[in-house]
Amino acid sequence: MDPVIWSKLPQELLEHILCFLPLKTFLSLRSTCKHFNSLVFSPTFITKHSSGSGSGLCSFLLLSHQQFYSHFPLYDTIIGSWRDLALPFSLFPPFGSSQFNLISSSNGLLCFALPSCCSFLVCNMLAKSSRVIELPFFPFSFELLTLVSTPKGYKIFTLCTKFSSNQAFVYDSVVHSWTEHDGYQPLLFENFHQEGAFYDGSLCFTTPEPFSVVCFDLGTGKWGNLNVEMPRELTFVRLVSGVSDRKKLYMLGGIGSNGISRSMRLWELKEGKKWEEMERLPELMCRKFVSVCYHNYEHVYCFWHRGMICVCCHTWPEILYYKAERRSWHWLPKCPWLPDKWSCGFRWFSFVPQLHALA
């Protein structure tokens, strides 16, 4: 560690070494010199870090619960351990931190609803940046809100239930404004916790029985139908799309009759024409899952996380997940900080910190 030798290290080699550091370690180095601090905003360094080994070292399942007011439990899916994420209230507007709800996440960004401020807050906790987004009007009752990352920023989709014929609203971070579009009839509100699945430029949703898939094109603001025959004897369905490969759409559903699921299966949409069955949930795991949700499937929601399809229930603290690479099902252990008396209100999100995700 001779300073004479290290002081002659070419700048590009130094940045290459730094990009392999875990994000938390690198951020702690920012206060040591102006150059390290400026690297956070350097496009070349961000590109190197995002493609280097450091980008794969942070991958969490985040638990949001109303009793965890000032922090979020995180499950590190890389090393299989729990840790804690303290909320940086400096990112919140004045009076906005008194009441908030985490409602969506995408590509390292978290979206909060701030009822007391009549606004949303999108923030990157890693880069310590945030943006307050005013609601289109007040009161604004929203459903199915989904945060979607785009190459130039992000979009927020939501349906407003103020009108008898619901309207769709889309916020674009590039132009910092909302646009209003036609809603969809009949109403899609069978599940209040399930977000839209982003597939091939559109957000996909399922309708109540008779089940079908409808799509909202984020580019044109138009609705359409996915004209693919659905499997028979469905009791409930949920859609999931891979963040890394948005040209794949998966469907999880229960098979049974009279609202009772005898089995749970996973399908993949092949060439936009056919649902092809991939896997079936083992019988004992299926029995446990349908028992914990009491066959009340409106509490069931799914999302994609780093090669995993996570299946959650608003009334159950554990996660059932499918590892696509290994084609195997598993249960995520219960968070050790959860008291036994907490029986509902469990909201899970995929959280993969990214320096380049700008709020």
Side-chain angles (χ1 to χ4, degrees), residues 101-150:
N101 297 302
L102 179 58
I103 50 180
S104 189
S105 69
S106 179
N107 197 35
L109 296 176
L110 300 178
C111 182
F112 296 86
L114 306 177
S116 59
C117 298
C118 304
S119 60
F120 298 123
L121 176 78
V122 175
C123 71
N124 184 332
M125 292 193 179
L126 190 62
K128 296 185 178 180
S129 61
S130 63
R131 179 180 297 276
V132 175
I133 301 171
E134 300 295 332
L135 300 179
F137 50 83
F138 185 80
F140 185 75
S141 179
F142 59 91
E143 303 291 349
L144 302 178
L145 187 140
T146 306
L147 176 66
V148 179
S149 298
T150 64

Side-chain angles (χ1 to χ4, degrees), residues 129-329:
S129 61
S130 63
R131 179 180 297 276
V132 175
I133 301 171
E134 300 295 332
L135 300 179
F137 50 83
F138 185 80
F140 185 75
S141 179
F142 59 91
E143 303 291 349
L144 302 178
L145 187 140
T146 306
L147 176 66
V148 179
S149 298
T150 64
K152 296 183 179 179
Y154 56 87
K155 292 186 177 182
I156 299 175
F157 168 90
T158 186
L159 288 177
C160 179
T161 56
K162 179 181 179 181
F163 309 99
S164 56
S165 58
N166 62 87
Q167 298 294 109
F169 289 83
V170 177
Y171 176 85
D172 190 334
S173 67
V174 176
V175 296
H176 308 304
S177 65
W178 291 92
T179 54
E180 183 177 349
H181 309 274
D182 291 334
Y184 187 86
Q185 297 294 338
L187 297 177
L188 301 175
F189 308 142
E190 183 218 4
N191 184 286
F192 295 96
H193 314 296
Q194 181 66 48
E195 299 182 16
F198 189 63
Y199 166 69
D200 201 20
S202 298
L203 280 175
C204 299
F205 303 90
T206 57
T207 65
E209 293 187 75
F211 298 112
S212 64
V213 178
V214 297
C215 307
F216 179 84
D217 192 311
L218 284 175
T220 64
K222 302 295 184 181
W223 290 92
N225 292 85
L226 190 64
N227 296 315
V228 180
E229 183 179 356
M230 301 289 280
R232 297 181 179 181
E233 298 185 309
L234 288 171
T235 54
F236 76 94
V237 288
R238 299 291 179 265
L239 299 176
V240 183
S241 61
V243 174
S244 57
D245 186 357
R246 288 171 170 174
K247 292 189 178 296
K248 283 192 175 184
L249 185 65
Y250 304 95
M251 180 172 70
L252 178 90
I255 298 295
S257 60
N258 301 320
I260 304 297
S261 296
R262 298 188 304 271
S263 66
M264 287 173 57
R265 304 178 188 181
L266 184 66
W267 295 267
E268 180 182 346
L269 184 63
K270 290 294 186 179
E271 300 178 354
K273 300 178 180 179
K274 177 184 178 182
W275 288 110
E276 183 175 294
E277 184 175 323
M278 294 174 57
E279 295 289 338
R280 298 189 181 190
L281 182 64
E283 183 179 355
L284 290 179
M285 300 181 83
C286 180
R287 287 182 181 178
K288 176 179 177 178
F289 187 81
V290 296
S291 65
V292 299
C293 64
Y294 305 106
H295 297 285
N296 190 357
Y297 305 117
E298 68 179 20
H299 295 304
V300 177
Y301 59 99
C302 302
F303 60 88
W304 177 272
H305 175 78
R306 307 287 277 189
M308 299 159 49
I309 295 175
C310 299
V311 188
C312 311
C313 183
H314 194 250
T315 58
W316 188 252
E318 300 178 36
I319 289 182
L320 173 67
Y321 65 93
Y322 173 76
K323 297 200 75 169
E325 184 177 324
R326 298 183 180 179
R327 299 174 66 106
S328 58
W329 296 89

Side-chain angles (χ1 to χ4, degrees), residues 8-141:
K8 297 179 181 179
L9 186 69
Q11 195 64 41
E12 60 271 15
L13 288 182
L14 176 60
E15 292 186 8
H16 184 70
I17 293 172
L18 290 175
C19 80
F20 284 91
L21 288 174
L23 291 176
K24 183 178 180 181
T25 303
F26 172 72
L27 291 178
S28 66
L29 293 175
R30 290 191 301 170
S31 60
T32 59
C33 69
K34 292 182 178 180
H35 176 63
F36 284 3
N37 186 56
S38 65
L39 283 179
V40 177
F41 307 100
S42 167
T44 56
F45 179 77
I46 289 175
T47 300
K48 289 179 181 178
H49 196 285
S50 299
S51 59
S53 64
S55 63
L57 294 178
C58 296
S59 174
F60 306 103
L61 290 170
L62 183 153
L63 173 60
S64 174
H65 193 280
Q66 58 185 357
Q67 298 297 331
F68 288 131
Y69 172 72
S70 60
H71 63 103
F72 293 125
L74 300 176
Y75 182 77
D76 190 324
T77 57
I78 303 299
I79 62 176
S81 65
W82 290 92
R83 60 180 65 187
D84 200 48
L85 174 66
L87 273 175
F89 288 113
S90 60
L91 299 179
F92 287 71
F95 310 109
S97 60
S98 60
Q99 185 181 5
F100 58 87
N101 297 302
L102 179 58
I103 50 180
S104 189
S105 69
S106 179
N107 197 35
L109 296 176
L110 300 178
C111 182
F112 296 86
L114 306 177
S116 59
C117 298
C118 304
S119 60
F120 298 123
L121 176 78
V122 175
C123 71
N124 184 332
M125 292 193 179
L126 190 62
K128 296 185 178 180
S129 61
S130 63
R131 179 180 297 276
V132 175
I133 301 171
E134 300 295 332
L135 300 179
F137 50 83
F138 185 80
F140 185 75
S141 179

